[in-house]
Amino acid sequence: MDFVSGVKKPDTRELPELLSGELLGQTVKVNGAVHTIRHMGEIAFIVLRKRDGLLQCVYEEGKAGFDQKDIREAATVEVEGILESEERAPGGVEIRLKGIRILSEPSAPLPLPIAKWKLNTSLEAKLNMRSVSLRNVRERAKFKLQEGIVRAFRDFLYGEGFTEIHTPKIGAKSAEGGANLFKLEYFHRPAVLQQSPQLYKQMMVGVFDRVFETAPVFRAEKHNTKRHLNEYTSLDFEMGYIDSFEDIMAMETGFLQHMVRLLQQDYAKELKMLNITLPKVDEIPAVRFDRAKELVAEKYNRKIRNPFDLEPEEESLIGQYFKEEYDADFVFVTHYPSKKRPFYAMDDLEDSRFTLSFDLLYQGLEVTTGGQRIHDYQMLVDKIAARGMEQEGLEQYLDTFRYGMPPHGGLGIGLERLTMKLVGEDNVREATLYPRDLSRLEP
Amino acid sequence: MDFVSGVKKPDTRELPELLSGELLGQTVKVNGAVHTIRHMGEIAFIVLRKRDGLLQCVYEEGKAGFDQKDIREAATVEVEGILESEERAPGGVEIRLKGIRILSEPSAPLPLPIAKWKLNTSLEAKLNMRSVSLRNVRERAKFKLQEGIVRAFRDFLYGEGFTEIHTPKIGAKSAEGGANLFKLEYFHRPAVLQQSPQLYKQMMVGVFDRVFETAPVFRAEKHNTKRHLNEYTSLDFEMGYIDSFEDIMAMETGFLQHMVRLLQQDYAKELKMLNITLPKVDEIPAVRFDRAKELVAEKYNRKIRNPFDLEPEEESLIGQYFKEEYDADFVFVTHYPSKKRPFYAMDDLEDSRFTLSFDLLYQGLEVTTGGQRIHDYQMLVDKIAARGMEQEGLEQYLDTFRYGMPPHGGLGIGLERLTMKLVGEDNVREATLYPRDLSRLEP
């Protein structure tokens, strides 16, 4: 009988080992994709693309044991050679080739110049050739940073006593209701895709006190803008035993601080490659919704057209105001009007036209919506009635409150928007592997 | 201007601090849900449920500063009192109450006896009252362990150089094709929910070499069994530069070993509470599909009815065989018939009726499907043609191979099935927060 006993150390080397200095002068084996080849007569420079970066290999005729014509760009190979230090090579090392083994060959030349430092290709073309365009190391670096954001979110929340949950995306009813729902047939019954894990995460606060989820959400919004997606990854948390909705903002600030630390520590290579300056997160200003509108109206000479709504341009100007006045990348805008928030939002007891809620703006773009929720059964039932909503389909949700729930609140962060701002892009599709929008459903 | 500067240490204490011994004899504040109250005349024992477990509080008339009648089960409270050691209390400590603040009150008595050690309630009733039944500490412990499994998966793969990705769940076409697709309308176009992130993770192997995703998948299967769900969480990875599909099995074994270590280290409380013995994962037997059928036929006196299919009963007997003969909880069954595997599976060059693939059985239940994939463009195009499939909708997927791809493979693990076996349940719904099956779409 054969047995599998776990991961064995391979005989090929990865970049961190090669760059450590310990293998200099030794013969090493390395695999990778042929990123570029520069033929210079009897010498050729073959650059391999590996998951951690690029590696230069030097071919010298007669010494390499093969013909340089045998290697093509986009082939994948395993090479053998001597590791030498070389200041002009990426990472300061190169391999003097002694042998090569071709693992696979492409069937056609690359359609995009992925080896260029900046891939000057339209977003449309990049998305149409996603699995090729992301082979450009700067393009793929954006998604490594996105990984770092999600890791930071989870690691931070584990440390704060949160439990990770997995809630269903198909349901009979959705959290916010309204028209923005994708509908499907579920074994001859009408169903929808969840816009948010809101009701589920609230129900789980009564079980675990603090919960989070990182999962897709679906919104059938007909917006065709640079900041809207019809499917995106939502970083959600919900926490019980709060004193006020400020506890939620404090937790989010803690996450952002942890994110900045983790990115600096584990993703320095990508930050440098994309020339990113991380945002200031030591303290984040918080301003009331109505006050923010006034500040912007005063400073930029605008009229307040609707005191209960925030136009995208106003959001953008609030971002500008706090950058100019406080050098702040982020600003919490608090106390959103009750009309603009869902039924479960806790109204401000001091002025019920407003809620104990907030948005977080990042350079003028909403990246988070959060706040305190109603935890009292009767208050929730009354608000549902006052809005003319039906209790049907909300029975289990309401029962959760009937049988006792602590004061609680939470938030949802749009991962792609946060990534987009962090990497300095102005279209959320740049920070989405395979965006779904009004026109894009493939691949 | 107000500023938010991160998480502040609260003035209430959590269980780990209370159990550390450092606060004995001191006055502490603690919040929690009233799990049970036992009135004994002038004394009452009030047990609080907190995220880390239970905490006993002692009420003594005249000393507590309030009337014991003011507290009801399922209320949430903040109490103040002196922490004392008490051998008979859970965790060996209790709080002698000096004061209480009611944070919230229930509107009705609890419908389930959640404070009982074993909640002897039908699965149906538990699912119908999920947000209440999980307040039972043994019920919720299953989902803490589920968290541990997912953490272990991610942590292990980060350490092995994998990149986390987020792929779309709505698409024009799905990986495996076939009839088991949920269909929806996407802005007047037909669309489906993804059965698997298969095609996306393969495309991303050409970018990141190694990728993983932990996300929901959707299968419109009309099975109504104890092991099927129509929506579940799939733990997927895909890795390039493999020598054979055995590298995938080695990586999975490494994950399982890491999982066992993490659960022992960080989830010992839950393992003890559920009386769980962790499975043996130091070495996992691997047996060919055809050989496994023979072994079971010989030992248990069965006829092999179809040499190219594995019946659920055979799976179960393979589990039994390897438990009896090798004391093995897990077994890899390799070389599945080509007919039973999707188009992207790599056929065995030595006998193309079989594939370089495997399932992992856990006590006779399939918890993983994986294998090597075709990486050669022409081989893939030929197999698609031989199966009578269309290339339409697969253009970007196929282009990925046209422009070069390393030898690669991967797997998908059903999280709920793995959890179910680990916690010793026999219905996958016991390990799913909100199961979706033929009859269950709510809440």
Side-chain angles (χ1 to χ4, degrees):
Chain A
M1 189 55 53
D2 290 330
F3 289 90
V4 184
S5 57
V7 182
K8 286 179 188 60
K9 195 166 163 52
D11 65 346
T12 51
R13 305 290 189 159
E14 293 304 321
L15 266 185
E17 295 172 273
L18 298 173
L19 299 182
S20 72
E22 285 170 24
L23 297 171
L24 285 174
Q26 294 185 30
T27 296
V28 293
K29 274 191 187 175
V30 180
N31 57 36
V34 178
H35 198 58
T36 54
I37 308 176
R38 197 149 39 101
H39 296 285
M40 311 184 65
E42 296 191 344
I43 289 180
F45 291 97
I46 298 167
V47 175
L48 297 187
R49 185 181 67 250
K50 296 185 61 59
R51 59 183 189 242
D52 295 307
L54 301 175
L55 173 66
Q56 178 165 297
C57 303
V58 183
Y59 169 94
E60 293 171 89
E61 206 150 283
K63 292 191 185 171
F66 62 96
D67 192 327
Q68 57 174 301
K69 290 185 211 109
D70 293 344
I71 308 188
R72 294 163 62 187
E73 278 179 5
T76 66
V77 297
E78 182 180 293
V79 301
E80 191 170 354
I82 298 170
L83 185 72
E84 301 282 5
S85 73
E86 168 53 62
E87 275 184 20
R88 288 161 299 178
V93 297
E94 66 180 16
I95 290 179
R96 307 276 167 82
L97 292 174
K98 294 202 291 189
I100 197 163
R101 188 161 70 92
I102 308 281
L103 302 175
S104 72
E105 299 217 67
S107 298
L110 283 168
L112 291 174
I114 58 160
K116 283 175 71 173
W117 180 241
K118 287 195 184 183
L119 192 64
N120 289 320
T121 306
S122 71
L123 173 61
E124 196 67 14
K126 284 196 292 187
L127 294 178
N128 285 340
M129 291 182 270
R130 207 47 156 161
S131 59
V132 178
S133 60
L134 289 179
R135 297 180 189 180
N136 175 276
V137 291
R138 292 179 81 253
E139 292 290 323
R140 87 175 171 184
K142 296 175 201 169
F143 292 93
K144 283 303 282 186
L145 292 172
Q146 185 168 73
E147 167 188 275
I149 293 171
V150 182
R151 271 181 78 177
F153 184 76
R154 295 196 193 106
D155 288 355
F156 177 71
L157 294 180
Y158 286 135
E160 293 288 335
F162 284 73
T163 295
E164 181 175 14
I165 57 172
H166 305 276
T167 69
K169 305 309 160 200
I170 303 180
K173 195 153 179 166
S174 185
E176 328 269 319
N180 298 329
L181 291 168
F182 286 112
K183 289 171 186 158
L184 72 154
E185 203 190 77
Y186 187 84
F187 303 118
H188 309 295
R189 294 160 68 187
V192 298
L193 294 180
Q194 295 297 346
Q195 299 159 307
S196 143
Q198 182 63 34
L199 306 188
Y200 298 102
K201 61 181 182 157
Q202 281 188 267
M203 288 192 277
M204 288 301 111
V205 162
V207 173
F208 299 105
D209 293 2
R210 296 179 163 194
V211 295
F212 75 88
E213 180 165 19
T214 58
V217 296
F218 307 91
R219 306 211 169 172
E221 294 177 331
K222 287 184 184 147
H223 298 302
N224 207 356
T225 77
K226 289 184 174 181
R227 61 187 197 287
H228 282 94
L229 291 168
N230 295 105
E231 174 179 348
Y232 69 88
T233 303
S234 185
L235 308 181
D236 272 277
F237 76 66
E238 199 75 17
M239 57 192 277
Y241 300 97
I242 60 171
D243 290 320
S244 85
F245 76 102
E246 285 161 25
D247 293 349
I248 314 295
M249 299 196 293
M251 194 61 70
E252 178 162 29
T253 305
F255 151 60
L256 291 170
Q257 291 164 350
H258 184 74
M259 176 190 84
V260 163
R261 278 194 301 271
L262 183 73
L263 292 177
Q264 282 169 335
Q265 178 191 302
D266 286 3
Y267 298 84
K269 191 167 76 245
E270 286 80 12
L271 292 173
K272 193 179 165 200
M273 196 180 277
L274 295 173
N275 198 22
I276 289 171
T277 307
L278 288 168
K280 258 177 47 122
V281 290
D282 53 329
E283 52 173 27
I284 297 178
V287 61
R288 282 183 65 102
F289 176 91
D290 44 14
R291 181 69 188 134
K293 285 182 76 88
E294 287 168 11
L295 289 172
V296 160
E298 284 162 20
K299 179 160 183 180
Y300 304 107
N301 235 330
R302 276 177 63 93
K303 269 202 178 137
I304 296 177
R305 282 188 282 191
N306 182 346
F308 294 104
D309 202 5
L310 205 59
E311 299 166 39
E313 201 196 334
E314 271 178 312
E315 265 186 10
S316 171
L317 286 174
I318 293 171
Q320 189 181 328
Y321 179 94
F322 281 88
K323 187 70 191 173
E324 289 171 1
E325 301 290 326
Y326 297 93
D327 192 26
D329 293 301
F330 288 98
V331 53
F332 285 112
V333 179
T334 66
H335 299 86
Y336 272 68
S338 190
K339 279 183 198 173
K340 290 279 157 189
R341 293 300 211 205
F343 71 92
Y344 51 76
M346 178 75 96
D347 290 332
D348 188 352
L349 291 181
E350 292 175 18
D351 182 350
S352 66
R353 293 174 305 165
F354 297 95
T355 53
L356 300 176
S357 73
F358 66 91
D359 274 11
L360 178 66
L361 308 187
Y362 185 0
Q363 293 164 5
L365 178 74
E366 177 219 314
V367 293
T368 301
T369 295
Q372 184 167 355
R373 328 297 187 180
I374 297 173
H375 60 272
D376 181 78
Y377 176 71
Q378 197 54 51
M379 192 188 284
L380 197 55
V381 166
D382 291 346
K383 193 154 173 194
I384 287 172
R387 293 212 167 186
M389 290 171 57
E390 286 174 10
Q391 290 192 17
E392 200 196 325
L394 293 175
E395 294 86 351
Q396 271 214 35
Y397 175 71
L398 287 172
D399 273 355
T400 309
F401 299 88
R402 191 197 298 268
Y403 303 123
M405 273 286 276
H408 65 284
L411 56 72
I413 300 171
L415 172 62
E416 293 81 356
R417 284 191 178 185
L418 180 54
T419 311
M420 156 192 164
K421 283 293 184 185
L422 192 93
V423 303
E425 291 289 350
D426 76 339
N427 191 319
V428 70
R429 291 163 187 76
E430 293 278 5
T432 314
L433 276 186
Y434 289 98
R436 291 294 176 256
D437 61 26
L438 283 176
S439 57
R440 193 169 283 278
L441 183 54
E442 288 183 279
Chain B
M1 188 55 51
D2 289 330
F3 290 90
V4 185
S5 56
V7 182
K8 285 180 190 59
K9 194 164 167 48
D11 65 348
T12 52
R13 304 291 187 160
E14 294 303 320
L15 267 184
E17 295 171 273
L18 298 173
L19 299 181
S20 71
E22 285 171 23
L23 297 171
L24 284 174
Q26 295 184 28
T27 297
V28 293
K29 274 191 189 176
V30 180
N31 57 37
V34 178
H35 197 58
T36 56
I37 307 176
R38 199 152 34 103
H39 297 284
M40 310 183 67
E42 296 193 343
I43 287 180
F45 292 97
I46 299 166
V47 174
L48 296 188
R49 186 180 65 250
K50 296 185 60 60
R51 60 184 189 243
D52 296 306
L54 300 175
L55 174 65
Q56 177 166 297
C57 304
V58 183
Y59 169 93
E60 293 171 88
E61 206 151 285
K63 291 191 183 170
F66 62 96
D67 191 326
Q68 56 174 300
K69 291 186 211 110
D70 292 345
I71 307 188
R72 295 163 62 187
E73 279 178 7
T76 66
V77 297
E78 182 180 293
V79 302
E80 191 169 354
I82 298 170
L83 185 72
E84 301 283 3
S85 73
E86 168 53 61
E87 275 184 17
R88 289 161 297 179
V93 298
E94 65 181 16
I95 289 179
R96 307 276 168 84
L97 292 173
K98 296 202 289 185
I100 197 164
R101 190 161 68 93
I102 309 282
L103 302 175
S104 72
E105 298 216 66
S107 298
L110 283 167
L112 291 174
I114 58 161
K116 283 175 71 172
W117 180 241
K118 288 196 183 181
L119 192 63
N120 288 319
T121 306
S122 72
L123 174 60
E124 196 65 15
K126 285 196 292 186
L127 294 178
N128 285 340
M129 290 181 270
R130 208 46 156 161
S131 58
V132 178
S133 60
L134 290 179
R135 296 181 190 181
N136 174 274
V137 292
R138 292 180 81 254
E139 291 291 323
R140 86 175 171 184
K142 297 176 201 168
F143 292 93
K144 281 304 282 188
L145 292 172
Q146 184 167 74
E147 168 189 273
I149 294 172
V150 182
R151 271 181 77 177
F153 184 77
R154 295 195 192 108
D155 286 356
F156 176 71
L157 294 179
Y158 286 135
E160 293 288 334
F162 285 73
T163 296
E164 182 176 13
I165 56 173
H166 304 275
T167 69
K169 305 309 159 199
I170 304 180
K173 196 153 180 164
S174 185
E176 328 268 320
N180 297 329
L181 290 168
F182 286 112
K183 291 172 185 159
L184 72 154
E185 203 190 78
Y186 188 85
F187 302 116
H188 309 296
R189 294 160 68 186
V192 299
L193 294 180
Q194 295 296 345
Q195 298 159 305
S196 145
Q198 182 63 33
L199 307 188
Y200 298 103
K201 60 180 183 159
Q202 282 188 266
M203 289 194 277
M204 288 302 109
V205 161
V207 173
F208 298 105
D209 293 1
R210 297 177 162 194
V211 295
F212 76 88
E213 182 166 19
T214 58
V217 296
F218 308 91
R219 304 209 171 175
E221 293 177 332
K222 287 185 183 145
H223 299 302
N224 207 356
T225 77
K226 288 185 174 183
R227 60 187 199 284
H228 282 94
L229 292 169
N230 294 105
E231 174 178 348
Y232 68 89
T233 303
S234 186
L235 309 181
D236 272 278
F237 75 66
E238 199 76 16
M239 56 191 278
Y241 300 98
I242 61 172
D243 290 320
S244 86
F245 76 100
E246 286 159 24
D247 294 349
I248 313 296
M249 298 195 294
M251 193 61 71
E252 178 161 30
T253 305
F255 150 59
L256 291 171
Q257 291 163 350
H258 185 74
M259 178 191 81
V260 164
R261 277 193 302 272
L262 183 73
L263 291 178
Q264 282 169 335
Q265 180 191 303
D266 285 4
Y267 297 83
K269 192 166 74 241
E270 287 79 12
L271 293 174
K272 194 179 165 203
M273 196 180 279
L274 296 173
N275 198 21
I276 289 171
T277 307
L278 288 168
K280 260 178 46 124
V281 290
D282 54 329
E283 49 174 27
I284 297 178
V287 61
R288 283 183 64 101
F289 176 89
D290 44 14
R291 182 69 189 133
K293 284 181 78 88
E294 287 167 11
L295 289 172
V296 160
E298 284 162 21
K299 179 159 185 180
Y300 303 107
N301 236 329
R302 275 177 63 95
K303 272 205 175 134
I304 295 178
R305 280 189 283 192
N306 181 347
F308 295 104
D309 202 5
L310 206 58
E311 298 165 41
E313 202 197 334
E314 273 178 308
E315 266 186 9
S316 171
L317 286 174
I318 294 172
Q320 191 181 327
Y321 180 94
F322 281 88
K323 186 68 191 174
E324 289 171 2
E325 301 289 327
Y326 297 94
D327 192 25
D329 294 301
F330 288 98
V331 53
F332 286 110
V333 178
T334 67
H335 299 88
Y336 272 68
S338 189
K339 279 181 197 174
K340 290 280 157 187
R341 294 299 213 204
F343 71 93
Y344 51 76
M346 178 73 95
D347 290 333
D348 187 355
L349 290 180
E350 291 175 19
D351 182 349
S352 67
R353 293 174 305 164
F354 297 94
T355 53
L356 300 176
S357 74
F358 67 91
D359 274 10
L360 178 66
L361 308 188
Y362 185 0
Q363 294 164 5
L365 178 74
E366 177 220 315
V367 293
T368 302
T369 295
Q372 184 167 355
R373 329 296 189 180
I374 298 172
H375 60 272
D376 181 78
Y377 175 71
Q378 197 55 50
M379 191 187 287
L380 196 55
V381 165
D382 291 346
K383 194 157 174 194
I384 287 171
R387 295 216 165 184
M389 291 170 56
E390 287 175 9
Q391 290 192 17
E392 198 196 327
L394 293 174
E395 294 86 352
Q396 270 215 34
Y397 176 71
L398 287 171
D399 272 356
T400 308
F401 298 88
R402 192 197 298 268
Y403 303 123
M405 272 287 276
H408 66 285
L411 56 73
I413 300 172
L415 173 62
E416 293 81 357
R417 284 191 178 185
L418 180 54
T419 311
M420 156 193 164
K421 283 292 183 186
L422 193 93
V423 303
E425 291 289 349
D426 76 340
N427 191 319
V428 70
R429 290 161 188 78
E430 293 278 3
T432 314
L433 276 186
Y434 289 98
R436 291 293 176 254
D437 61 26
L438 282 178
S439 58
R440 195 169 280 279
L441 183 55
E442 292 184 272

